[in-house]
Amino acid sequence: MAYIRTNERLGGDPSFTVMWRVGGSRTGKTQRETFDDEEAAKRCRDLVNGHGQHCPPGWTKGVGFGELDQHAVPNSEMFRAYAHAHIKDGKPRPLHPPGTERRAYARKTIANLHGLLFCRQGCAARDPGPSWP
């Protein structure tokens, strides 16, 4: 069962934290969501209880049912950033922790990457519109 725990912030204002264990089991991971007003906390608690001790579908932690503010980045830029950060020469890039040692790609992996890129380029040549999701 989800329950509400009332806490006092440093400024003296109360906060209401809805707490539950995933799936309602004793060994389930503890989840929590904090609210400024008690009515919103009660609504969340009832939704969690109604969905079998899981977050309701469409719920985003810290936001609720609203949409996250994400900046629009063209897919071409996202792929380029990923490619440069992760697979260039098989060496560690800035996103890897310092001291990371990576082994060279296996022949099968290289062949699969070549096949993927060949197919992608073929699709781009036939249909110059955006085809990358």
Side-chain angles (χ1 to χ4, degrees):
M1 293 286 299
Y3 62 94
I4 298 174
R5 186 169 75 187
T6 305
N7 298 316
E8 187 175 321
R9 293 194 170 123
L10 292 176
D13 298 330
S15 70
F16 304 94
T17 304
V18 178
M19 300 184 70
W20 70 95
R21 289 196 179 266
V22 174
S25 70
R26 226 181 260 187
T27 58
K29 183 177 178 187
T30 302
Q31 297 286 318
R32 69 183 73 215
E33 190 73 37
T34 304
F35 296 91
D36 292 331
D37 98 69
E38 190 172 10
E39 291 304 314
K42 287 179 181 178
R43 180 172 180 251
C44 179
R45 177 196 61 197
D46 295 340
L47 285 170
V48 168
N49 286 334
H51 284 90
Q53 304 302 310
H54 292 284
C55 283
W59 184 270
T60 304
K61 184 166 176 57
V63 177
F65 287 110
E67 296 293 322
L68 290 174
D69 294 331
Q70 294 181 351
H71 57 284
V73 177
N75 288 335
S76 60
E77 291 181 23
M78 289 177 67
F79 180 74
R80 181 175 292 125
Y82 171 81
H84 285 293
H86 291 287
I87 56 179
K88 185 179 178 185
D89 301 325
K91 295 179 182 174
R93 293 288 163 230
L95 298 178
H96 294 288
T100 300
E101 294 285 331
R102 290 183 60 187
R103 59 188 168 132
Y105 288 121
R107 295 177 90 163
K108 179 68 175 171
T109 303
I110 293 170
N112 288 342
L113 287 173
H114 282 276
L116 173 69
L117 293 175
F118 178 79
C119 180
R120 173 66 180 106
Q121 292 300 325
C123 291
R126 286 189 297 278
D127 178 24
S131 60
W132 199 261

